[in-house]
Amino acid sequence: MRILHLSDFHLRGDGGLSFRVVDTRECLETAAKHLRSLEQRPDAVVLTGDLADSGDAKAYGMLREALEPLHLPVYAVPGNHDRRDRMRDILGPWCPGDPAVAPCLCYVVEEGPVRLVMLDTMQPGSHSGHFPEAVAVWLERVLAARPGAPTLLFMHHPPFVTGMGAMDEPFENVERFEAILRAAPWVRLCCGHMHRPIVTQWAGCLAMTAPAVSMQIELDLSPEGGDCFRMETPGYLLHHWEGGLWNTHVCQIPSVPSFSGPHPFVGSVNPVEA
């Protein structure tokens, strides 16, 4: 079982450059071309948020047009730059939220022996991660339904501290989230948001973040770090289940990066839904 994990496209539908620097449509096309060339096709593709740069409807249409020709199951959760309403309207089959926690786009995918639990940590207008009690109850119930089952828990915001101060914002209800995961050590936590691969142990589980399809955050382990990016090689994670074991591979997307930067994150918003 191979689960290909992409994150942080930051697409714009107006043809402009994201953060005044990045041609994210070209980044998407480069990534889609690479996925089409893979000899070992994944069983599913997961997108962990910031699909659009500012919730632009046209951006979601671009993403659908690029990935639909792969003829693979695609599952998505929103990030802080997304809009749930537009994701539901345009990418509906990719994010079939459980009505029990609406409007949050949380749901479970049963892929043979493994489970993909999709968790929505976005709150409109906010940059940081959120975990309201209704979602906590839902997650606790979902994980208890199949104890010990090999499970990947996908979400946009990492709940753990990364050392890049500007990105290490408070995560709502983090103590509750930690307690739920400590009771489910069979879960592997897979996030986006950080625009670079990070691996740690948190709440008794292996936890990681994916590199970005677009720009990579500059590695700056200071209180101000995480507020700039460089045009480094884009990438993704490939989660491989075989022989009772998860292996996660950090993969690169063939491209010709300029390695320019650091560039500031400017010119986009965390949208509020209409």
Side-chain angles (χ1 to χ4, degrees), residues 78-199:
N80 46 282
H81 289 285
D82 289 311
R83 281 185 51 159
R84 291 189 187 113
D85 53 351
R86 289 175 177 171
M87 285 181 64
R88 284 192 300 265
D89 290 345
I90 301 166
L91 306 177
W94 295 4
C95 46
D98 187 335
V101 285
C104 292
L105 296 178
C106 302
Y107 55 101
V108 182
V109 179
E110 306 287 356
E111 283 282 355
V114 309
R115 307 185 86 200
L116 312 181
V117 178
M118 313 299 293
L119 195 72
D120 181 348
T121 57
M122 185 269 280
Q123 178 171 296
S126 174
H127 184 266
S128 60
H130 294 265
F131 188 59
E133 183 58 23
V135 174
V137 171
W138 178 88
L139 179 61
E140 200 167 37
R141 174 174 54 81
V142 162
L143 296 181
R146 286 187 62 187
T151 301
L152 298 180
L153 173 55
F154 290 99
M155 53 199 282
H156 182 68
H157 301 87
F160 51 86
V161 172
T162 68
M164 294 192 285
M167 293 292 285
D168 284 333
E169 300 171 299
F171 187 96
E172 179 195 13
N173 215 8
V174 68
E175 296 86 0
R176 178 86 160 97
F177 190 44
E178 182 176 2
I180 292 171
L181 285 194
R182 287 200 181 278
W186 59 88
V187 171
R188 180 169 291 205
L189 182 59
C190 308
C191 308
H193 193 56
M194 300 307 297
H195 289 238
R196 63 182 313 108
I198 303 169
V199 181

Side-chain angles (χ1 to χ4, degrees), residues 199-213:
V199 181
T200 192
Q201 192 82 10
W202 187 80
C205 297
L206 189 63
M208 65 200 70
T209 65
V213 172

Side-chain angles (χ1 to χ4, degrees), residues 48-100:
T48 51
D50 283 0
L51 312 181
D53 194 36
S54 300
D56 182 355
K58 290 183 180 178
Y60 298 121
M62 290 163 48
L63 185 63
R64 187 181 64 192
E65 289 173 6
L67 298 187
E68 274 187 341
L70 297 174
H71 301 293
L72 291 168
V74 179
Y75 308 108
V77 292
N80 46 282
H81 289 285
D82 289 311
R83 281 185 51 159
R84 291 189 187 113
D85 53 351
R86 289 175 177 171
M87 285 181 64
R88 284 192 300 265
D89 290 345
I90 301 166
L91 306 177
W94 295 4
C95 46
D98 187 335

